[in-house]
Amino acid sequence: MAQLRWLGHAAVELYLNGKHIIIDPMIKDNPLSPVKLSYFDNNLDLIIVTHDHYDHLGDTVELMKMNPKAYLYATYDLENYLATQFAISWDRIIPANVGGYVDFNGINLALTKAVHSSEHSDPTGTIISSEGVTIYHAGDTGLFEDMKLIGDLFKPDYVLLPIGGRFTMDPYQASIAVEMLKPKKYAIPIHYNTWDLIKVDPNVFSTEVTKRGYRALILQPGQSVEL
Ligand code: NI
Ligand code: MN
């Protein structure tokens, strides 16, 4: 059973191919998170980090300590920084960069371009594919035309897109992204209404997505969807 749960902001929890995965795990400083960090007590298999801004790197280091079986997936440079600074063993790191699929226990993982900034490496989006379901989490990004290529290459069923504006795409721009990505199932808005600086109306996104012939799914923080 494949399941996706939005934990508010860019944090997304997945159950896929029997594995427990979290993307961009800001939990402690996330006012929208429905769970406390202790919820992830030695039950995570994989932590994916799109880039090292604090609202995405979040509690990664602590979670790696709390979850001795968990692996880390990010760009090589960010992995190298975390390994060096926080003594994370390379035995628990999946070396990667933007490119083709990497197999992790029957789950295909890829990193994609993102138009944004970061401190120790280039920012990315990520693709997760298993059990016949492909999910694209765009990380933080502005709108860019190569999203067409991401759509053509990976054929996502679900796309998770930041819509908060200011630091990323806004709802209107994100609806153009949906048109380029062509999700087979749903476009899910993330990275909005966490703080006042990224306050937007997600219904603008749904309306624009619908106009373009695709389906949007607005989740409440803590709400999950069967994939
Ligand atoms: Ni960022
Ligand atoms: Mn961010």
Side-chain angles (χ1 to χ4, degrees):
M1 181 193 72
Q3 195 184 62
L4 178 156
R5 180 157 75 137
W6 185 42
L7 302 181
H9 203 58
V12 174
E13 179 187 30
L14 291 171
Y15 285 96
L16 201 56
N17 205 32
K19 300 294 175 196
H20 189 197
I21 303 166
I22 188 162
I23 308 168
D24 286 354
M26 176 181 66
I27 304 298
K28 277 202 234 161
D29 292 334
N30 181 352
L32 302 180
S33 177
V35 298
K36 300 231 180 301
L37 199 62
S38 56
Y39 168 79
F40 299 101
D41 179 20
N42 199 14
N43 54 29
L44 278 175
D45 298 293
L46 178 64
I47 300 171
I48 300 175
V49 183
T50 61
H51 65 296
D52 64 2
H53 285 154
Y54 85 100
D55 57 320
H56 298 258
L57 183 62
D59 304 299
T60 296
V61 172
E62 197 165 342
L63 284 170
M64 285 298 284
K65 289 189 180 133
M66 292 164 61
N67 292 271
K69 286 178 295 193
Y71 284 77
L72 175 69
Y73 182 67
T75 60
Y76 187 85
D77 307 85
L78 178 51
E79 292 172 331
N80 195 29
Y81 166 74
L82 295 174
T84 309
Q85 288 295 308
F86 302 103
I88 295 171
S89 165
W90 278 100
D91 294 346
R92 300 177 57 203
I93 292 175
I94 305 165
N97 212 317
V98 174
Y101 273 136
V102 173
D103 175 71
F104 173 75
N105 293 322
I107 300 172
N108 279 319
L109 303 171
L111 296 173
T112 65
K113 172 180 174 177
V115 175
H116 191 63
S117 64
S118 61
E119 289 178 40
H120 296 95
S121 180
D122 286 342
T124 62
T126 187
I127 304 278
I128 303 108
S129 185
S130 191
E131 296 189 71
V133 180
T134 299
I135 301 141
Y136 168 54
H137 182 301
D140 276 354
T141 188
L143 185 61
F144 57 96
E145 206 171 9
D146 288 355
M147 283 185 179
K148 274 184 192 154
L149 198 52
I150 294 172
D152 289 345
L153 268 177
F154 296 105
K155 299 178 174 56
D157 297 291
Y158 295 86
V159 298
L160 298 153
L161 302 176
I163 67 160
R166 187 180 293 263
F167 304 110
T168 67
M169 298 185 285
D170 63 18
Y172 180 76
Q173 293 173 0
S175 76
I176 297 172
V178 173
E179 204 163 35
M180 291 194 279
L181 291 161
K182 303 185 277 296
K184 286 179 264 174
K185 298 224 170 109
Y186 287 106
I188 301 174
I190 59 171
H191 207 277
Y192 69 98
N193 292 357
T194 322
W195 301 290
D196 284 348
L197 282 177
I198 51 171
K199 203 167 166 51
V200 297
D201 179 1
N203 293 308
V204 173
F205 176 70
S206 320
T207 305
E208 289 295 330
V209 166
T210 307
K211 268 193 220 164
R212 293 170 195 278
Y214 293 90
R215 283 171 295 187
L217 177 64
I218 298 176
L219 296 176
Q220 299 306 311
Q223 195 183 344
S224 54
V225 56
E226 300 296 321
L227 303 175

